[in-house]
């Protein structure tokens, strides 16, 4: 187990290194930040002095190595757009907002999806199952940004129940979290359902029945504990979709998180921030997957020893 | 009278920073420059830090005398000439990204005494006051704060001199200010707090406004109607804030320029005229600006600046008027499309903060062009990519532009019609270069005016661009919170004079 | 035709898909009442017929006076083309790598799986943003992003399946018979994962349509004035209050198309591959 | 034995296979003559399947050799390898997993021919027809897919495919244990008939001695990767020498309620191959354990009395 | 064989508890299944009796309805596909089929416990052995607190000869070998002190030597507790070794039933006979096995006649048309019955 985690950790590091390379390459393909930041009437001299100032005139591999060296020390450069802050600062400042929103939406999806999936599996083939399936599918078919706009219009503008956008307390988070969760709820519910179906068909559930265990305990304890492994592994992937979803949702709701930040950073060719965002996303993603691996072992004792 | 907080939902700025010289010239409400603007006429006045200013005969020396009682926020003391010199050095440093920084640079700067600063130049600088006024101007930071806290001090809590002082910034989210107690100018803004909130999504802005979470917003004109229907109101800049149009890029026509391409369709003046004649400007103004825009004969020329040629207005209908029939004839005459190896007209569709209409304008251009038989193609690109093309002199395309706000004639001509104006590849020729050079070297006002007039007339006759309209900066406000806002429309992002935001009863 | 036989097929989704996606995509030229690019500037922002509009523009017009219905119909072509090409490329790459990784195991497997990790760890939208910033938004860029996002899912799933299939005795038998590795992979293993690939591909159509829409929403999808569905929604989104039909109907088209494709995918999965657990 | 002078069809020499720390097969020696059957018997995990795979060249041995017709199987390539593939075939345990569900019976059966020989369509069809008839199926069933058949029929298809290239040796890895009782006899009879007809040698892998008695000429009893006793079938059943063989025999179920038999119930479980006991690997469970010698010394292979009967146990003098 | 026997001959056990109390009587039990191929009469009129201390073997091929019979008894048939459509299950005089779910829960595990075929899958992988046993105890034997329950679970493990039960109780299923797991399942079954244990092919997945251990364990347990065992198998060897009575099932029906020895000595139904003939024997070398022709039948759309008729060498028209009644076989055992039209003739052939 420890060895397994150690190997996974090393692999994650290698992946991360490759990601820095890709990110570095991509950002430098996207054009010079000078163009984004200098005004219409900047002169050639002004441009050149800025290029030198930011070290953009050095060969790419040198820039990459310098970047990597600094990155190892946690220094991803200063933001070109949010002057006065380092790229890391800018991103870290915004990360909590994204994590909060993502966390809430994950929570929301779990709270809705797991029971939905369990109930659907329990009542397989009935109307309950079919309606749950339609609800789930609907969630998977709605364009998130569209749902976001609709939610704003109905619940914030029309009914005035929630604020429309921006950062704030729980009320600010509810609509974006719902919009964000819509897709995951669907995915999770359907996964839970199919895992539960397998679980409910299993011999140990049969044996539990033969032991005289009441039905609710069979469903919620015996079967779910086993079925939980499948949605749990899905969580790793979910992390990715959360981060991606955050870009869309945050821009609809002007939620000042990393998603919104990344759009602005790319539009502004703020390399250091783009790099920091992507690398941080990757780290978060790899970390979550790493934790999921560990959790997996917790939930499933079979893995613990392997 | 004392209202609470006013929230402005605005497009995120290009650079989101307290360090003015690292931005593009968008000024935070807590800062002041040397030269002020009249809130109504937009003319220079002494409402900010300089009491008065003057230039010598040759326009090689500009002297500014500071107000003696001007005071920095947070107890950083009085404003002195040393602060101005310090700010000048910061602003023109190597990492400066600010607008027109070359125009600000001087041969030397000197504090003559505590309240007098002189800028000296090697050549004549007739427009130097502009560099210290609303647009592209230099704001004044406290040297005392810098000496004590360095740049970090500016990042965390910069001291300015305006009626609002800095509270906090959330990078990418917004900035908050509060009313200065006992402001040195005695200004008492209606609102206790002022929050600028960056909202990229227009629909979200509208929602914020309707939900009462924001009180002022720079909504795109297309959805202003929705806000009006919901009881919101519009406040406008007191003067047209920008002039819009579309330009022919890639006309690198100065003799010997290797980038010049004679085979571009719009290298042919007949095609340029045809394209101009294809446009139904009245309809465009209706669609783009809800009819609230003044047609202009030349998008760089403005009655408030040098070189205004009133006749161009009369000649406009005859030369530029909507006439698809004539356009078709001209095209046939030019042998379009067969005479051109690549007859497709690429039109840039881009997103520029503060100009939500550019995308629609590109589509409209396409509609009109195709109606007269031009072949078109829309290219989506962001501002940086376009700039990059311009800089590498490969911008062979048509792009919507704005001149926002109106800039001095000399700078405008240099920017768009000479090789030195690097960002755009607008119409360039020996003639335009020559006129711009001449203008730069001339200090006599009458002479300057004549040269400028000649330049505008020349460009007009060459169909050097596709002028559209002069439009006002329009903000949608919540009339239950904001009664009015008087601002002249002269700053980079059009708005200024935050202390004049008037609260509703 | 026997009705009872018909009932075994998911008729509603198929009907919706035909009506929304396939027929318009193939026959939009003939079916659409107007040219989707043609502006009728005098008829700007006309409401749909049941909202006070005219029969000329059944679903109303957009801010340039273009026929919303015609644009949606033509948009189906893009939805279909992007899904088809993007998924094909992604599935082909992913399946191939999955096959190789699962069959060869060892180093090949490790390398491919790390690539999968990397691909999954890179946020797709950011990638697309970077692409678009570098080369400008284009049909090709969208395809590349779609393929890049999808291949890893295919590779993962196929590899997992190949790992178990290669342990089945028929693979051993094929080797005993003397088949080369290539023959075994292509003739024996591949046919056994084809169902999975088909089911996954079907289920991904919805994902791709949504991704394309999201990219367009962010301004990095196919360029204007292409009537791609996502772009149509994005274009009308400011006007949801006064001219809701501009973005509402494309939104509905996306919703219905994705919903039907998903229903169809579900049905296919139940028929072809009851064991596949994929979302 | 009367066939002693015939060259060995199959021979294993000090065959060894390690998976990491697991010694799945740990030094096997055995041989098989043409047209005869050698059964390898032992409990789950003792290395039977690994042995089969080594012979089939599906796994590479860690050391030792497998000789078929005197040639080292693992050094073959090109035409020799193709000839080997024709001569050695296999039938696996699970008829459900051993037929590719996406292929028709014809191509399943014809696979060895198609891969190794260039034959016309007609000729292939003719041979498929013939071999299907031989295993008791109708030729027209060649068009069907595996899922249309029951377990017994599937196993017949697998057998047909193994026979089509006229092999000299077929490896049978528990070929009937997944089948229903009523079907097993059919299939075992079929194997017998085919052996007579095709003169093919079988290497039969099984976990229970009972089923092998009917089929095998020689039996090798394996325990934890090693052969503990090796003898002609009848001799082994009449005079089992190794305590493990004796226990296995006693564990075979009676054929009649009145049948009484000495019952040796072995204590404990089969030890993990990850951590095999030292000395004689059977010593922790052995009812006849002599003492420390069993724990310390690996017993050498000794003569088991009758001809060709060997046993690895300290009970017997060298 | 020269070595002395180390165990009690089976004979003794078999005779010891010959005349126990009648615990269970199943009469004409019928269970139908809706499958996509149509209606399956998985259990089609099965009757038998079980006394305390007795072992009854049910033998039959895969799919003949053995499991479904016992699952129907306990009403845990797969829902919604399966329906119990008729019959009576009298447990100590009470008809279980008339009981509701809550009452049944008190029967399951407490009165009638079950051991399933595959220990690999029948233990819940995510709970410890102890947890799983204690859960059953908590449901049925509330007397005593948590400690007492754990203690009792340890005792149960000890009873099935698991070494160091105090530690084993904390093990997860994957930490045990197959044989140990199956013994743990046994411990689970006996932990609540049931009167009947239904063992559904408990040794199929075990190694031969482990199977021998397990069979012996069951027999010892029975002797210690006087349990009745219903043993499902498809192996005549196990029946010969373990059971006193025998039920032969074919396609959902009992084709022959009687005392084990009587059936072995005098198999009356052609199917039983053929099965016995096809058993490979370790004690003598057979020249040729007697094989049953054809394949086991599919259970949907069965013919109205004898279900074995298509494979039966003696079948005639009547066999194919009409299902035969159950007849007493004429031999020394009074309760030896078989369902065959040609009982007399075919039997006589032997
Ligand atoms: N590919 C492999 N990697 C690692 N260990 C293996 C591998 N194949 C087999 N083993 C191990 O080698 C040992 C022998 O396995 P093998 O499959 O040969 O046993 P077997 O006698 O055929 O058992 P069974 O009767 O269960 O089929 C076992 O401990 C098994 O776990
Ligand atoms: N869940 C189910 N759904 C549909 N049919 C089923 C189900 N369970 C069992 N059957 C059918 O019911 C019949 C009887 O099955 P049962 O499990 O009782 O057989 P069995 O004699 O126990 O077989 P085995 O020896 O394989 O365990 C079979 O034909 C089987 O196909
Ligand atoms: Mg094996
Ligand atoms: Mg069963």
């Amino acid at each position: 187990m420890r060895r397994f985690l150690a190997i996974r950790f090393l692999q994650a590091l290698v992946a991360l290194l490759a990601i820095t390379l890709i990110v570095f390459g991509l950002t430098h393909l996207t054009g010079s930040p000078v163009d984004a930041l200098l005004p219409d009437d900047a002169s050639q001299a002004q441009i050149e002095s800025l290029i030198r100032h930011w070290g953009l005139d050095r060969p790419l591999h040198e820039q990459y190595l310098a970047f990597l060296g600094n990155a190892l020390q946690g220094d991803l450069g200063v933001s070109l757009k949010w002057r006065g802050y380092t790229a890391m600062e800018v991103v870290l400042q915004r990360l909590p907002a994204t994590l909060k929103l993502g966390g809430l939406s994950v929570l929301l999806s779990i709270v809705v999806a797991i029971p939905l999936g369990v109930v659907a599996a329990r009542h397989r083939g009935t109307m309950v199952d079919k309606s749950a399936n339609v609800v789930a599918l609907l969630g998977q078919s709605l364009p998130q940004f569209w749902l976001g706009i609709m939610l704003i219009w109905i619940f914030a503008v029309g009914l005035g129940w929630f604020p429309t956008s921006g950062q704030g307390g729980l009320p600010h988070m509810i609509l974006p979290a719902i919009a964000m969760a819509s897709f995951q709820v669907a995915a999770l519910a359907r996964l839970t359902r199919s895992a539960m179906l397998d679980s409910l068909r299993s011999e140990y559930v049969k044996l539990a029945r033969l032991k005289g265990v009441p039905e609710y305990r069979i469903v919620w304890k015996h079967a779910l504990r086993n079925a939980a492994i499948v949605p749990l592994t899905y969580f790793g992937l979910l992390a990715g979709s959360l981060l991606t979803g955050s870009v869309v949702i945050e821009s609809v709701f002007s939620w000042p998180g990393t998603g919104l930040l990344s759009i602005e950073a790319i539009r502004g060719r703020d390399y250091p921030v783009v790099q920091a965002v992507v690398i941080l996303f990757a780290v978060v993603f790899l970390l979550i997957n790493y934790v999921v691996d560990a959790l997996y072992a917790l939930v499933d004792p079979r893995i613990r020893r392997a | 009278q004392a209202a609470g907080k006013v929230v402005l939902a605005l497009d995120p700025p290009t650079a989101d920073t307290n360090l003015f010289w690292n931005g593009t010239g968008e000024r935070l409400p807590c800062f002041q420059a040397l030269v002020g603007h009249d809130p109504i006429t937009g003319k220079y006045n002494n409402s900010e830090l300089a009491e008065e200013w003057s230039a010598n005969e040759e326009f090689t020396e500009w002297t500014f005398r500071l107000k003696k009682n001007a005071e920095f926020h947070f107890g950083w003391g009085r404003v002195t000439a040393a602060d101005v010199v310090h700010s000048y050095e910061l602003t023109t440093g190597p990492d400066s990204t600010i607008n027109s920084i070359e125009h600000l640079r001087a041969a030397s700067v000197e504090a003559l005494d505590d309240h007098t600063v002189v800028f000296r130049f090697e050549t004549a600088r007739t427009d130097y006051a502009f560099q210290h006024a609303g647009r592209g101007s230099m704001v004044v930071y406290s040297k005392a704060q810098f000496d004590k806290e360095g740049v970090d001090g500016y990042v965390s809590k910069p001291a300015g001199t305006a009626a609002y002082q800095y509270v906090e910034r959330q990078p990418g989210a917004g900035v908050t200010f509060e009313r200065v107690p006992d402001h040195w100018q005695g200004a008492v803004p209606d609102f206790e707090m002022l929050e600028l909130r960056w909202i990229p999504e227009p629909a979200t802005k509208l929602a914020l406004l309707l939900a009462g979470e924001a009180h002022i917003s720079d909504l795109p004109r297309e959805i202003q109607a929705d806000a009006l229907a919901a009881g919101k109101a519009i406040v406008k800049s007191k003067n047209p804030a920008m002039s819009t149009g579309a330009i022919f890029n890639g006309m690198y026509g100065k003799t010997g320029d290797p980038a010049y391409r004679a085979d571009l369709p719009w290298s042919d003046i007949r095609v340029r005229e045809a394209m101009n004649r294809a446009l139904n400007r009245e309809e465009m103004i209706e669609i783009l600006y809800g009819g609230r825009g003044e047609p202009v004969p030349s998008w760089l020329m403005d009655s408030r600046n040098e070189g205004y040629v009133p006749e161009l207005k009369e000649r406009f209908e005859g030369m530029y008027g909507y006439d698809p029939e004539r356009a078709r004839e001209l095209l046939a005459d030019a042998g379009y499309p067969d005479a051109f190896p690549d007859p497709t007209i690429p039109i840039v569709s881009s997103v520029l903060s503060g100009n939500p209409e550019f995308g629609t304008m590109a589509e409209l251009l396409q509609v009109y062009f195709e109606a007269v038989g031009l072949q078109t193609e829309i290219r989506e690109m962001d501002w940086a990519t376009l700039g990059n093309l311009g800089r590498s002199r490969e911008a062979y395309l048509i792009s919507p532009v704005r001149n926002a706000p109106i800039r001095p004639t000399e700078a405008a001509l240099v920017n768009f019609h000479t090789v030195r104006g690097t960002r755009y590849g607008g119409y360039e020729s020996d003639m335009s270069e020559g006129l711009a050079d001449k203008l730069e070297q001339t200090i006599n006002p009458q002479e300057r005016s004549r040269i400028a007039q000649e330049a505008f007339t020349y460009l007009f006759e060459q169909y050097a661009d596709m002028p559209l309209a002069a439009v006002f900066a329009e903000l949608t406000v919540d009339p239950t919170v904001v009664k009015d806002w008087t601002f002249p429309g002269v700053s980079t992002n059009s708005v200024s004079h935050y202390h004049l935001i008037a609260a509703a009863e | 035709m026997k009705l009872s036989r018909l009932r075994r097929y998911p008729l509603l989704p198929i009907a919706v898909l035909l009506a929304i996606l396939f027929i318009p995509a193939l026959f939009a030229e003939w079916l659409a009442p107007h040219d989707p690019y043609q502006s009728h500037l005098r008829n700007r922002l006309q409401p749909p017929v049941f909202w006070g509009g005219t029969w000329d523009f059944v679903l109303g017009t957009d801010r340039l006076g273009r026929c919303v219905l015609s644009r949606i119909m033509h948009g189906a072509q893009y939805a279909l083309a992007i899904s088809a090409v993007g998924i094909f490329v992604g599935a082909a790459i992913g399946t191939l790598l999955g096959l190789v990784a699962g069959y060869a195991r060892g180093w090949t497997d490790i390398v491919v799986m790390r690539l999968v990790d990397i691909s999954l760890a890179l946020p797709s939208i950011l990638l697309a943003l970077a692409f678009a910033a570098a080369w400008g938004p284009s049909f090709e860029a969208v395809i590349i992003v779609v393929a890049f996002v999808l291949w890893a899912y295919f590779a993962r799933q196929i590899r997992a399946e190949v790992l178990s299939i290669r342990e089945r005795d028929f693979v051993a038998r094929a080797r005993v018979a003397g088949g080369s590795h290539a023959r075994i992979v292509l003739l024996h293993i591949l046919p056994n994962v084809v169902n999975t690939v088909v089911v996954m591909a079907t289920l991904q159509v919805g994902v791709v349509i949504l991704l394309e829409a999201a990219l367009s929403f962010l301004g990095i999808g196919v360029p204007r004035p292409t009537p791609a569905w996502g772009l149509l929604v994005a274009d009308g989104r400011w006007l949801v209050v006064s001219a809701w039909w501009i973005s509402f109907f494309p939104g509905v088209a996306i919703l219905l198309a994705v919903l039907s494709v998903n229903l169809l995918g579900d049905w296919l999965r139940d028929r072809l591959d009851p064991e596949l657990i994929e979302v | 034995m009367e066939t002693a002078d015939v060259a060995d069809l199959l021979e294993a020499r000090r065959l060894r296979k390690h998976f990491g720390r697991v010694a799945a097969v740990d030094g096997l020696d055995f041989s098989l003559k043409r047209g005869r059957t050698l059964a390898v018997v032992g409990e789950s995990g003792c290395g039977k399947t690994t042995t089969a795979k080594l012979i089939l060249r599906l796994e590479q041995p860690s050391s030792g050799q497998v000789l078929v017709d005197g040639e080292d199987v693992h050094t073959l390539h090109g035409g020799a390898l193709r000839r080997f593939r024709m001569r050695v075939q296999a039938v696996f345990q699970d008829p459900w997993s051993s037929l590719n569900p996406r292929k028709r019976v014809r191509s399943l059966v014809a696979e060895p021919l198609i891969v190794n020989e260039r034959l016309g369509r007609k000729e292939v069809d003719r041979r498929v027809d013939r071999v299907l008839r031989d295993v008791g199926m109708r030729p027209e069933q060649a068009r069907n897919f595996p899922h249309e058949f029951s377990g017994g029929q599937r196993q017949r298809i697998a057998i047909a495919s193994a026979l089509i290239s006229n092999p000299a040796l077929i490896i049978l890895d528990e070929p009937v244990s997944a089948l229903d009782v009523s079907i097993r006899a059919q299939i075992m009879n079929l194997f017998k008939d085919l052996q007579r007809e095709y003169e093919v040698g079988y290497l039969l892998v099984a976990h229970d001695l009972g089923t092998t008695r009917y089929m095998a000429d020689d039996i090798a009893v394996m325990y934890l990767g090693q052969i503990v006793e090796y003898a002609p079938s009848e001799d082994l059943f009449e005079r089992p020498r190794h305590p493990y063989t004796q226990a296995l025999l006693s564990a075979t179920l009676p054929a009649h309620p009145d049948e009484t038999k000495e019952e040796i119930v072995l204590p404990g479980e089969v030890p993990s191959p990850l951590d095999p006991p030292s000395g004689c690997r059977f010593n922790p469970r052995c009812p006849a354990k002599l003492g420390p010698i069993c724990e310390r010394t690996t017993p050498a292979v000794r003569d088991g009395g009758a001809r060709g009967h060997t046993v690895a146990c300290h009970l017997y003098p060298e | 064989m020269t070595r002395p026997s180390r165990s009690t001959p089976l004979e003794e056990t078999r005779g010891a508890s010959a005349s126990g109390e009648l615990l269970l009587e199943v009469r004409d039990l019928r269970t139908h299944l809706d499958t996509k191929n149509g209606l399956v009469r998985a259990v089609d009129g099965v009757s038998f009796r079980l006394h305390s201390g007795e072992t009854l073997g049910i033998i039959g091929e895969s799919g003949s309805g053995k499991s479904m019979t016992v699952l129907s008894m306990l009403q845990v048939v797969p829902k919604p596909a399966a329906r119990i459509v008729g019959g009576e299950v009298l447990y100590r005089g009470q008809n279980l089929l008339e009981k509701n779910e809550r009452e049944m829960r008190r029967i399951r595990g407490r009165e009638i416990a079950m051991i399933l075929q595959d220990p690999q899958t029948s233990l819940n992988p995510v709970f410890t052995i102890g947890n799983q046993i204690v859960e059953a105890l908590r449901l049925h034997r509330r007397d005593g607190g948590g400690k007492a329950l754990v203690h009792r679970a340890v005792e149960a493990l000890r009873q099935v000869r698991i070494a160091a039960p105090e530690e084993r109780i904390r093990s997860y299923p994957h930490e045990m070998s197959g044989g140990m797991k199956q013994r743990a399942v046994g411990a689970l079954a006996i932990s609540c002190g049931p009167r009947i244990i239904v063992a559904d092919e408990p040794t199929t997945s075990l190694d031969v030597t482990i199977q021998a251990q397990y069979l012996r364990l069951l027999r010892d347990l029975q002797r210690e507790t006087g349990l009745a065992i219903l043993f499902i198998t498809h192996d005549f060897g196990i029946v010969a070794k373990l059971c006193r009575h025998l039920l032969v099932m074919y396609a959902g029906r009992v084709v022959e039933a009687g005392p084990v020895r009587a059936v072995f000595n005098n198999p009356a139904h052609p199917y039983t006979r053929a099965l016995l003939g096809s058993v490979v024997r370790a004690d003598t070398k057979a020249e040729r096995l007697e094989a049953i022709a054809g394949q086991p039948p599919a259970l949907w759309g069965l013919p109205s006649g004898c279900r074995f008729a298509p494979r039966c060498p003696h079948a005639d028209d009547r066999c194919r048309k009409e299902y035969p009644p159950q007849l007493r076989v004429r031999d020394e055992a009074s309760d030896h019955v078989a369902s065959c039209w040609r009982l007399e003739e075919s039997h006589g052939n032997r």
Side-chain angles (χ1 to χ4, degrees), chain C residues 140-217:
Chain C
E140 292 79 9
V142 174
I143 298 283
I144 291 176
V145 169
V146 166
F148 188 90
V149 171
L150 291 187
W151 80 269
Y153 291 88
F154 280 90
R156 248 169 89 119
Q157 182 72 36
I158 298 304
R159 167 190 172 266
E161 240 159 78
V162 171
L163 277 182
S164 84
I165 288 175
R166 83 186 298 284
E167 295 306 322
R168 306 255 295 270
D169 286 339
F170 70 79
V171 174
R173 261 179 33 102
R175 285 186 59 198
V176 168
S180 64
H181 292 304
R183 182 183 166 89
I184 287 169
V185 169
L186 294 178
L187 261 61
H188 290 272
I189 296 184
L190 182 60
N192 282 287
V193 296
V194 161
N195 279 348
T196 307
V197 175
V198 169
V199 171
M200 274 186 80
T202 315
L203 290 172
Q204 299 298 339
V205 172
V207 175
V208 172
I209 293 179
L210 290 181
L211 178 63
E212 185 272 327
L215 293 181
S216 294
F217 175 84

Side-chain angles (χ1 to χ4, degrees), chain E residues 281-304:
Chain E
R281 304 175 67 124
D283 55 342
T284 52
K285 167 130 182 157
E287 264 326 299
R288 190 153 183 87
L289 296 175
E290 288 176 40
I292 307 175
Q295 307 291 334
L299 285 192
W300 52 91
L302 281 173
S304 54

Side-chain angles (χ1 to χ4, degrees), chain A residues 120-167:
Chain A
R122 176 72 190 81
H123 302 279
R124 178 180 199 189
T126 62
M127 274 320 285
V128 178
D129 183 19
K130 283 177 187 151
S131 350
N133 191 37
V134 167
V135 168
L137 269 177
L138 217 61
Q140 272 185 308
S141 311
L142 276 168
Q144 281 188 338
F145 54 86
W146 170 245
L147 179 64
I149 293 171
M150 288 297 144
L151 288 177
I152 291 181
W153 282 104
I154 298 172
F155 293 103
V157 179
L159 300 171
W161 290 356
F162 301 101
T164 55
S165 76
Q167 190 157 21

Side-chain angles (χ1 to χ4, degrees), chain E residues 66-67 117 200-201:
Chain E
K66 308 180 295 292
S67 302
Q117 172 169 353
D200 190 353
E201 309 192 33

